[in-house]
């Protein structure tokens, strides 16, 4: 029999399998569809790099806050509501004029969900995971980030236990800016360490 029916009108195989699983679980009373919707809502709209950006802007603006959160982040993150799955044990690492921090998960894709949302595709790729450790300077250059030779690079390997957030350097020319003005300069990649915070003119 010729195989000429249109497979392309169907959703992708993984999407179909997910839908089939969800339908079965709901029918058997094992999951509540409202709970599933709530999880989707959370990661689509409420959790994402805007949380990390607000945190970084506050760290740039408030020296007392910075000192406290670098020393012991978890109580403060819990109070601010930046807490939950995949963010139970955060470590904040600060970039300085002599040190650039960069985060990878060499084993899989561990990432600070409450502060950055769901990881970008490249973060999960074999190439990034293997090369970030072996040749970080080269990987950063491929992201368009050419660091001077005298700047040290420290690579942090995330685990199921500990997740890292990079505090990028505050861009020059932002003296006197409010937190709200600073937030849009803090890109997702600057908090993973594969980019810098945007300059005010960009
Ligand atoms: Fe992982």
């Amino acid at each position: 029999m010729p195989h000429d029916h249109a497979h392309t009108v169907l959703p992708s195989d993984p999407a179909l399998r997910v839908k089939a699983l969800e339908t079965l679980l709901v029918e058997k009373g094992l999951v509540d569809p409202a709970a599933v919707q709530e999880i989707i809502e959370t990661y689509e709209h409420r959790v994402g790099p805007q949380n990390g950006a607000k945190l970084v802007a506050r760290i740039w603006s408030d020296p007392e806050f910075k000192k406290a959160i670098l020393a012991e982040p978890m109580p403060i993150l819990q109070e601010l509501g930046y807490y939950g799955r995949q963010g139970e044990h955060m470590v904040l690492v600060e970039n300085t004029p002599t040190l650039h921090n960069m985060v990878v998960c060499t084993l899989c894709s561990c990432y600070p969900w409450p502060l950055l949302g769901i990881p970008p595709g490249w973060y999960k790729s074999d190439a990034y995971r293997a090369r970030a450790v072996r040749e970080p300077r080269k990987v950063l250059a491929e992201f368009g980030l050419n660091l001077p030779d005298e700047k040290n690079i420290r690579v942090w390997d995330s685990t199921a236990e500990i997740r890292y957030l990079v505090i990028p350097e505050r861009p020059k020319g932002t003296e006197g800016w409010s937190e709200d003005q600073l937030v849009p300069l803090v890109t997702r990649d600057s908090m993973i360490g594969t980019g810098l915070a945007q300059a005010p003119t960009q």
Side-chain angles (χ1 to χ4, degrees), residues 14-71:
L16 275 178
R17 282 171 186 272
V18 166
K19 194 68 212 157
L21 269 173
E22 186 187 340
T23 305
L24 264 175
L25 289 167
V26 170
E27 267 175 16
K28 291 188 178 291
L30 293 171
V31 304
D32 174 1
V36 173
Q37 195 49 45
E38 174 68 18
I39 291 169
I40 292 170
E41 270 291 308
T42 297
Y43 288 103
E44 266 186 358
H45 301 294
R46 288 197 282 272
V47 167
Q50 70 275 13
N51 289 351
K54 281 186 213 151
L55 189 76
V56 169
R58 180 146 180 216
I59 288 171
W60 283 345
S61 306
D62 182 344
E64 286 299 310
F65 178 78
K66 175 180 171 179
K67 207 173 141 197
I69 197 164
L70 284 179

Coordinates of all heavy atoms in Angstrom, one line a residue, residues 14-71:
P14 N 6.8 14.0 19.8 CA 6.9 14.3 21.3 C 5.6 15.0 21.8 O 5.1 14.7 22.8 CB 8.1 15.2 21.4 CG 8.9 15.0 20.2 CD 8.0 14.6 19.1
A15 N 5.1 16.0 21.0 CA 3.9 16.7 21.4 C 2.7 15.8 21.5 O 1.9 15.9 22.5 CB 3.6 17.8 20.4
L16 N 2.6 14.9 20.6 CA 1.5 13.9 20.6 C 1.6 13.0 21.9 O 0.6 12.7 22.5 CB 1.5 13.0 19.4 CG 0.8 13.5 18.2 CD1 1.0 12.6 17.0 CD2 -0.7 13.8 18.4
R17 N 2.8 12.5 22.1 CA 3.0 11.6 23.2 C 2.7 12.3 24.6 O 2.1 11.8 25.5 CB 4.5 11.1 23.3 CG 4.7 10.0 22.3 CD 6.2 9.7 22.1 NE 6.3 8.7 21.0 CZ 6.2 7.4 21.2 NH1 6.1 6.9 22.4 NH2 6.3 6.6 20.2
V18 N 3.1 13.6 24.7 CA 2.8 14.4 25.9 C 1.3 14.5 26.1 O 0.8 14.3 27.1 CB 3.5 15.8 25.8 CG1 3.0 16.7 26.9 CG2 5.0 15.6 25.9
K19 N 0.7 14.8 25.0 CA -0.8 15.0 25.0 C -1.5 13.7 25.4 O -2.4 13.7 26.3 CB -1.3 15.5 23.7 CG -2.7 16.0 23.7 CD -2.8 17.3 24.4 CE -4.2 17.4 25.1 NZ -4.2 18.3 26.2
A20 N -1.0 12.6 24.9 CA -1.6 11.3 25.2 C -1.4 11.0 26.6 O -2.3 10.5 27.3 CB -1.0 10.2 24.3
L21 N -0.2 11.2 27.2 CA 0.1 11.0 28.6 C -0.7 11.8 29.5 O -1.3 11.4 30.5 CB 1.6 11.3 28.9 CG 2.6 10.2 28.7 CD1 4.0 10.8 28.8 CD2 2.4 9.1 29.7
E22 N -0.9 13.1 29.1 CA -1.6 14.0 29.9 C -3.1 13.6 30.0 O -3.7 13.5 31.1 CB -1.6 15.5 29.4 CG -2.2 16.5 30.3 CD -2.3 17.9 29.6 OE1 -1.5 18.2 28.7 OE2 -3.2 18.7 30.1
T23 N -3.6 13.2 28.8 CA -5.0 12.7 28.8 C -5.3 11.5 29.7 O -6.2 11.4 30.4 CB -5.4 12.4 27.3 OG1 -5.1 13.5 26.5 CG2 -6.9 12.0 27.2
L24 N -4.3 10.5 29.6 CA -4.4 9.3 30.4 C -4.4 9.6 31.9 O -5.2 9.1 32.7 CB -3.3 8.4 30.0 CG -3.6 7.3 29.0 CD1 -2.3 6.5 28.7 CD2 -4.6 6.3 29.6
L25 N -3.4 10.5 32.2 CA -3.2 10.8 33.7 C -4.5 11.5 34.2 O -4.9 11.3 35.3 CB -2.0 11.7 33.9 CG -0.6 11.0 33.6 CD1 0.5 12.0 33.5 CD2 -0.4 10.0 34.8
V26 N -5.0 12.4 33.4 CA -6.2 13.1 33.9 C -7.4 12.2 34.0 O -8.1 12.2 35.0 CB -6.5 14.3 32.9 CG1 -7.9 14.9 33.2 CG2 -5.5 15.4 33.0
E27 N -7.6 11.3 32.9 CA -8.7 10.4 32.9 C -8.6 9.4 34.1 O -9.6 9.1 34.7 CB -8.6 9.5 31.7 CG -9.5 10.1 30.5 CD -9.3 9.3 29.3 OE1 -8.8 8.1 29.3 OE2 -9.7 9.8 28.2
K28 N -7.4 9.0 34.5 CA -7.3 8.1 35.7 C -7.3 8.9 37.0 O -7.1 8.3 38.0 CB -6.0 7.3 35.5 CG -6.0 6.3 34.4 CD -4.8 5.4 34.4 CE -4.9 4.4 33.3 NZ -5.9 3.3 33.5
G29 N -7.4 10.2 36.9 CA -7.5 11.0 38.1 C -6.2 11.2 38.8 O -6.1 11.5 40.0
L30 N -5.1 11.0 38.1 CA -3.8 11.1 38.7 C -3.2 12.5 38.7 O -2.4 12.8 39.5 CB -2.8 10.1 38.0 CG -3.1 8.6 38.2 CD1 -2.2 7.8 37.3 CD2 -2.9 8.2 39.7
V31 N -3.6 13.3 37.8 CA -3.2 14.7 37.8 C -4.5 15.6 37.6 O -5.5 15.2 36.9 CB -2.2 15.1 36.8 CG1 -0.9 14.3 36.9 CG2 -2.7 15.1 35.3
D32 N -4.4 16.8 38.2 CA -5.5 17.7 38.1 C -5.1 18.7 36.9 O -4.1 19.3 36.9 CB -5.5 18.5 39.4 CG -6.5 19.7 39.4 OD1 -7.2 19.9 38.3 OD2 -6.6 20.3 40.4
P33 N -6.0 18.8 35.9 CA -5.7 19.6 34.7 C -5.4 21.1 35.1 O -4.6 21.7 34.5 CB -6.9 19.5 33.8 CG -7.9 18.6 34.5 CD -7.3 18.1 35.8
A34 N -6.1 21.5 36.2 CA -5.8 22.9 36.6 C -4.4 23.1 37.1 O -3.8 24.1 36.9 CB -6.8 23.3 37.7
A35 N -3.9 22.0 37.8 CA -2.5 22.1 38.3 C -1.5 22.1 37.1 O -0.5 22.9 37.1 CB -2.2 20.9 39.2
V36 N -1.8 21.3 36.1 CA -0.9 21.3 34.9 C -0.9 22.7 34.3 O 0.1 23.3 33.9 CB -1.4 20.3 33.9 CG1 -0.6 20.4 32.6 CG2 -1.3 18.9 34.4
Q37 N -2.1 23.3 34.2 CA -2.2 24.7 33.6 C -1.4 25.7 34.4 O -0.8 26.6 33.9 CB -3.7 25.1 33.5 CG -4.0 26.2 32.6 CD -3.3 26.1 31.2 OE1 -3.3 25.1 30.5 NE2 -2.6 27.2 30.7
E38 N -1.5 25.5 35.7 CA -0.8 26.5 36.6 C 0.7 26.4 36.4 O 1.4 27.4 36.4 CB -1.2 26.1 38.1 CG -0.5 26.8 39.2 CD -0.8 28.3 39.2 OE1 -1.9 28.7 38.7 OE2 -0.1 29.1 39.8
I39 N 1.2 25.2 36.2 CA 2.6 25.0 36.0 C 3.1 25.7 34.7 O 4.1 26.4 34.6 CB 3.0 23.5 36.0 CG1 2.9 23.0 37.4 CG2 4.5 23.3 35.5 CD1 3.0 21.5 37.5
I40 N 2.2 25.5 33.6 CA 2.5 26.1 32.3 C 2.5 27.6 32.4 O 3.4 28.3 32.0 CB 1.5 25.6 31.3 CG1 1.8 24.1 31.0 CG2 1.7 26.4 30.0 CD1 0.7 23.4 30.2
E41 N 1.5 28.1 33.1 CA 1.4 29.6 33.3 C 2.6 30.1 34.0 O 3.2 31.1 33.6 CB 0.2 29.9 34.3 CG -1.1 30.1 33.6 CD -1.1 31.4 32.8 OE1 -0.8 32.5 33.4 OE2 -1.5 31.3 31.6
T42 N 3.0 29.4 35.1 CA 4.2 29.9 35.8 C 5.4 30.1 35.0 O 6.0 31.1 35.0 CB 4.5 28.9 37.0 OG1 3.3 28.9 37.8 CG2 5.7 29.3 37.8
Y43 N 5.7 29.0 34.2 CA 7.0 29.1 33.4 C 6.8 29.9 32.1 O 7.9 30.3 31.6 CB 7.5 27.7 33.2 CG 8.1 27.1 34.5 CD1 7.3 26.2 35.3 CD2 9.2 27.7 35.1 CE1 7.8 25.8 36.5 CE2 9.7 27.3 36.3 CZ 8.9 26.3 37.0 OH 9.4 25.9 38.3
E44 N 5.6 30.1 31.7 CA 5.4 31.0 30.5 C 5.5 32.4 30.9 O 6.0 33.3 30.1 CB 4.1 30.6 29.8 CG 4.4 29.6 28.7 CD 3.1 29.3 27.8 OE1 2.1 29.9 28.1 OE2 3.3 28.5 26.9
H45 N 4.9 32.8 32.0 CA 4.7 34.2 32.3 C 5.3 34.7 33.6 O 5.7 35.9 33.6 CB 3.2 34.5 32.3 CG 2.5 34.1 31.0 ND1 2.7 34.8 29.8 CD2 1.6 33.2 30.7 CE1 2.0 34.2 28.9 NE2 1.3 33.2 29.4
R46 N 5.4 33.9 34.6 CA 5.8 34.5 35.9 C 7.2 34.3 36.2 O 7.8 35.1 37.0 CB 4.9 33.9 37.0 CG 3.5 34.3 37.0 CD 2.8 34.0 38.3 NE 2.4 32.6 38.4 CZ 1.2 32.2 38.0 NH1 0.4 33.0 37.4 NH2 0.9 30.9 38.1
V47 N 7.9 33.3 35.6 CA 9.2 33.0 36.0 C 10.1 33.2 34.7 O 9.8 32.7 33.7 CB 9.4 31.5 36.5 CG1 10.8 31.1 36.5 CG2 8.7 31.4 37.8
G48 N 11.1 34.0 34.9 CA 12.0 34.2 33.7 C 13.1 35.2 34.0 O 13.2 35.6 35.2
P49 N 13.9 35.5 33.1 CA 15.1 36.4 33.4 C 14.8 37.8 33.9 O 15.6 38.4 34.5 CB 15.8 36.5 32.0 CG 15.0 35.7 31.0 CD 13.8 35.1 31.7
Q50 N 13.5 38.2 33.8 CA 13.1 39.5 34.4 C 13.3 39.4 35.9 O 13.6 40.5 36.5 CB 11.7 39.9 34.0 CG 10.6 39.1 34.6 CD 10.2 37.8 33.9 OE1 11.0 37.4 33.0 NE2 9.1 37.1 34.2
N51 N 13.1 38.3 36.5 CA 13.4 38.2 38.0 C 14.8 38.4 38.3 O 15.2 39.2 39.2 CB 13.0 36.8 38.5 CG 11.4 36.6 38.4 OD1 10.7 37.5 38.2 ND2 11.0 35.4 38.7
G52 N 15.7 37.7 37.6 CA 17.1 37.9 37.8 C 17.6 39.3 37.6 O 18.4 39.9 38.3
A53 N 17.0 39.9 36.5 CA 17.4 41.3 36.2 C 17.0 42.3 37.3 O 17.8 43.2 37.6 CB 16.7 41.7 34.8
K54 N 15.8 42.1 37.9 CA 15.4 42.9 39.0 C 16.4 42.8 40.2 O 16.7 43.8 40.8 CB 14.0 42.6 39.4 CG 12.9 43.2 38.5 CD 11.5 42.9 39.1 CE 10.5 42.7 38.0 NZ 9.4 41.8 38.4
L55 N 16.7 41.5 40.4 CA 17.6 41.3 41.5 C 19.0 41.9 41.3 O 19.5 42.6 42.2 CB 17.8 39.8 41.7 CG 18.6 39.3 42.9 CD1 17.6 39.5 44.1 CD2 19.1 37.9 42.8
V56 N 19.5 41.8 40.1 CA 20.8 42.4 39.8 C 20.8 43.9 39.9 O 21.7 44.6 40.4 CB 21.3 42.0 38.3 CG1 22.5 42.8 37.9 CG2 21.7 40.5 38.3
A57 N 19.7 44.5 39.4 CA 19.6 46.0 39.4 C 19.6 46.4 40.9 O 20.1 47.5 41.2 CB 18.3 46.4 38.7
R58 N 18.9 45.7 41.7 CA 18.9 46.0 43.2 C 20.3 45.9 43.8 O 20.7 46.7 44.6 CB 17.9 45.2 43.9 CG 17.8 45.5 45.3 CD 16.4 45.4 45.9 NE 16.5 45.7 47.3 CZ 15.7 45.2 48.3 NH1 14.9 44.2 47.9 NH2 15.9 45.5 49.5
I59 N 21.0 44.8 43.4 CA 22.4 44.6 43.9 C 23.3 45.7 43.5 O 24.1 46.2 44.2 CB 22.9 43.2 43.4 CG1 22.2 42.1 44.1 CG2 24.4 43.1 43.6 CD1 22.4 40.7 43.6
W60 N 23.1 46.2 42.2 CA 23.9 47.3 41.7 C 23.6 48.6 42.5 O 24.5 49.5 42.6 CB 23.6 47.6 40.3 CG 24.2 46.6 39.3 CD1 25.3 45.8 39.5 CD2 23.9 46.5 37.9 NE1 25.6 45.1 38.4 CE2 24.7 45.5 37.4 CE3 22.9 47.1 37.1 CZ2 24.7 45.1 36.0 CZ3 22.9 46.7 35.8 CH2 23.7 45.7 35.2
S61 N 22.4 48.7 43.0 CA 21.9 50.0 43.5 C 22.0 50.1 45.0 O 22.0 51.2 45.5 CB 20.4 50.2 43.2 OG 20.2 50.1 41.8
D62 N 22.1 49.0 45.7 CA 22.0 49.0 47.1 C 23.1 48.2 47.8 O 23.1 47.0 47.9 CB 20.6 48.4 47.5 CG 20.4 48.4 49.0 OD1 21.3 48.6 49.8 OD2 19.2 48.2 49.4
P63 N 24.2 48.9 48.2 CA 25.4 48.2 48.7 C 25.1 47.3 49.9 O 25.7 46.3 50.1 CB 26.4 49.4 49.1 CG 25.8 50.6 48.4 CD 24.4 50.4 48.2
E64 N 24.2 47.7 50.8 CA 23.9 46.9 52.0 C 23.2 45.6 51.5 O 23.5 44.5 52.0 CB 22.9 47.7 52.9 CG 23.6 48.8 53.7 CD 24.7 48.3 54.6 OE1 24.5 47.3 55.3 OE2 25.9 48.8 54.5
F65 N 22.3 45.8 50.6 CA 21.6 44.6 50.1 C 22.6 43.6 49.4 O 22.5 42.4 49.6 CB 20.5 45.1 49.1 CG 19.7 44.0 48.4 CD1 18.7 43.3 49.1 CD2 20.0 43.6 47.1 CE1 18.0 42.3 48.5 CE2 19.3 42.5 46.5 CZ 18.3 41.9 47.2
K66 N 23.5 44.2 48.7 CA 24.5 43.4 48.0 C 25.3 42.6 48.9 O 25.5 41.4 48.7 CB 25.4 44.3 47.1 CG 26.5 43.6 46.5 CD 27.4 44.6 45.7 CE 28.7 43.9 45.2 NZ 29.5 44.9 44.4
K67 N 25.8 43.3 50.0 CA 26.6 42.6 51.0 C 25.9 41.4 51.6 O 26.4 40.3 51.7 CB 27.0 43.6 52.0 CG 28.3 43.3 52.7 CD 28.7 44.5 53.7 CE 29.3 43.9 54.9 NZ 29.3 44.9 56.0
A68 N 24.6 41.7 51.9 CA 23.8 40.7 52.6 C 23.5 39.5 51.7 O 23.6 38.3 52.1 CB 22.5 41.3 53.1
I69 N 23.1 39.8 50.4 CA 22.7 38.6 49.6 C 23.9 37.8 49.1 O 23.8 36.6 48.8 CB 21.8 39.1 48.4 CG1 21.1 38.0 47.8 CG2 22.6 39.9 47.3 CD1 19.9 38.3 46.9
L70 N 25.1 38.5 48.9 CA 26.2 37.7 48.5 C 26.7 36.8 49.6 O 27.1 35.7 49.4 CB 27.4 38.6 48.1 CG 27.3 39.3 46.7 CD1 28.4 40.2 46.4 CD2 27.1 38.3 45.6
A71 N 26.5 37.3 50.8 CA 26.9 36.5 52.0 C 26.0 35.3 52.2 O 26.4 34.1 52.4 CB 27.0 37.3 53.2

